[in-house]
Amino acid sequence: MEVPCVRVPREEGEATRRDLAEADLIADDREIRVKDGWLYIPVVDSEAVPAGLAVVSREVPVRETQTTPADLLGFDPSYERIGDVALLDEDDPERADRIARAIVESDLPVGTVLNKASKVKGETRVRDWELLAGEGTETVHREYGFEYALDLATVYFSPRLATERHRVTEQIVDDENERVFDMFAGVGPFVIPAAARGAKAVGVDVNGRAIEYLHENAGRNGVTDRVTAIHGDVREVATEFEGRADRIVMNLPHSADEFLATAVSVAGEECTIHYYDIQHDQDPFGPSEKAIRDAASEAGYDVEILTRHVVRSYAPHELNVCLDVRLSRA
Ligand code: SAM
């Protein structure tokens, strides 16, 4: 069936759509369509369309309405998404089951629902999960155009750091052949964008499963030739890379200070370090700054703090922070 549509050049589409939406004129039960450089916006009343906008009659498909978990529950549940897995943090098992059922029955592209069953633990920072719906804990997550295969039961991954990883990897300049060393690489969400920006990237992780995924993800994202993935304790692996890094990523908050001597040993004559920490909000940067200055000056480097950046709130009065630091051989 044909319906009245406002027809505008594609470049003017978004502004016109906003104006029509403000006037409550868009027919929400129909899809907006693009054809041959024109946008067709279905409207509920052709007579009410402002003068100057062309109205034509056109066949546009009926819009599929999406059922959300909130539609089924009557409240908006909170959950995170990693690939096709939804992650809950619910203490009440009945409420957790109800939410899981609603997520699976909704139109969200989710196959598995997991509930947090422990804090992140031990060296590998993996947590336990309770499986509420679906079958597996393995998925493929998309972030800033990259794909990461991972298994939540065996590796660490947090989608909340997406913007932060992008902030850091955007600093890599394509034609400079940077040597990037990620000391705690996980499945590669710093290493792979770095390699895609032209760096030679080394990723180390003590978790063998994470390194297997890092290999796989390098292939998935077409950067295998610029990625070296090494399974081991970075304190041992680092001896093969002394003085060879232009940029170092240290994403192991809580204990990164124990690895500063290793980081400094890997640094080249000039090197940028992205150092992550969790600190009290009364002095979020002071302790990290002091630890970095002590380690770097002992090894003969001058230190310039480039950025003091709050990544996110971690817990009441605790902040996840990042210091971008430039080391230059004195
Ligand atoms: N950078 C990754 C990301 O953003 O998803 C992973 C960060 S996770 C917080 C820290 C990682 O450090 C874990 O994958 C853990 O296995 C690894 N790790 C912990 N101690 C290590 C060590 N001594 N040497 C190498 N990797 C280590």
Side-chain angles (χ1 to χ4, degrees), residues 23 42 108 111 117 219 270:
L108 286 180
E270 299 275 324

Side-chain angles (χ1 to χ4, degrees), residues 146-194:
F146 298 102
E147 278 189 4
Y148 302 105
L150 58 106
D151 181 353
L152 284 155
T154 57
V155 300
Y156 171 93
F157 190 85
S158 171
R160 292 187 188 169
L161 297 179
T163 313
E164 172 58 17
R165 295 191 272 252
H166 187 60
R167 183 189 74 81
V168 164
T169 49
E170 260 196 334
Q171 295 173 30
I172 295 168
V173 178
D174 191 2
D175 57 3
E176 292 192 349
N177 291 315
E178 264 200 31
R179 297 163 304 171
V180 172
F181 191 85
D182 186 344
M183 295 174 64
F184 313 106
V187 302
F190 285 100
V191 166
I192 282 161

Side-chain angles (χ1 to χ4, degrees), residues 66-309:
Q66 301 271 310
T67 304
T68 67
D71 294 333
L72 300 169
L73 289 164
F75 63 88
D76 210 355
S78 105
Y79 55 87
E80 276 182 276
R81 289 264 307 276
I82 296 186
D84 69 347
V85 179
L87 307 175
L88 309 187
D89 186 6
E90 293 291 338
D91 293 333
D92 175 350
E94 271 176 35
R95 184 180 148 97
D97 273 336
R98 240 184 103 202
I99 295 173
R101 265 201 311 279
I103 288 176
V104 171
E105 282 166 21
S106 75
D107 289 325
L108 286 180
V110 166
T112 297
V113 185
L114 304 175
N115 197 17
K116 285 183 186 171
S118 76
K119 291 186 180 301
V120 289
K121 336 178 258 192
E123 211 175 24
T124 59
R125 315 305 291 150
V126 179
R127 70 170 86 237
D128 296 332
W129 297 99
E130 181 193 1
L131 184 69
L132 297 175
E135 282 174 8
T137 46
E138 193 174 34
T139 190
V140 177
H141 184 70
R142 284 174 188 76
E143 182 175 296
Y144 282 94
F146 298 102
E147 278 189 4
Y148 302 105
L150 58 106
D151 181 353
L152 284 155
T154 57
V155 300
Y156 171 93
F157 190 85
S158 171
R160 292 187 188 169
L161 297 179
T163 313
E164 172 58 17
R165 295 191 272 252
H166 187 60
R167 183 189 74 81
V168 164
T169 49
E170 260 196 334
Q171 295 173 30
I172 295 168
V173 178
D174 191 2
D175 57 3
E176 292 192 349
N177 291 315
E178 264 200 31
R179 297 163 304 171
V180 172
F181 191 85
D182 186 344
M183 295 174 64
F184 313 106
V187 302
F190 285 100
V191 166
I192 282 161
R197 288 183 73 89
K200 285 260 181 219
V202 176
V204 182
D205 206 290
V206 76
N207 181 347
R209 285 298 288 143
I211 290 298
E212 284 169 21
Y213 279 114
L214 176 48
H215 272 296
E216 178 182 338
N217 293 331
R220 275 180 177 271
N221 293 285
V223 291
T224 301
D225 56 336
R226 288 195 296 286
V227 168
T228 306
I230 303 176
H231 174 210
D233 185 320
V234 68
R235 286 169 289 210
E236 288 156 24
V237 174
T239 55
E240 295 163 42
F241 291 90
E242 276 175 16
R244 284 169 53 184
D246 303 311
R247 187 180 299 274
I248 298 172
V249 181
M250 298 183 71
N251 180 21
L252 188 65
H254 289 300
S255 36
D257 58 332
E258 295 165 25
F259 293 83
L260 272 167
T262 302
V264 169
S265 76
V266 171
E269 294 293 293
E270 299 275 324
C271 180
T272 303
I273 299 184
H274 305 282
Y275 179 91
Y276 291 89
D277 207 350
I278 310 269
Q279 288 292 341
H280 197 278
D281 59 6
Q282 279 182 345
D283 185 14
F285 301 108
S288 312
E289 205 170 314
K290 179 171 183 325
I292 294 167
R293 284 190 190 283
D294 288 352
S297 61
E298 197 170 306
Y301 282 98
D302 289 334
V303 175
E304 183 191 357
I305 308 291
L306 303 174
T307 319
R308 294 175 181 81
H309 176 63

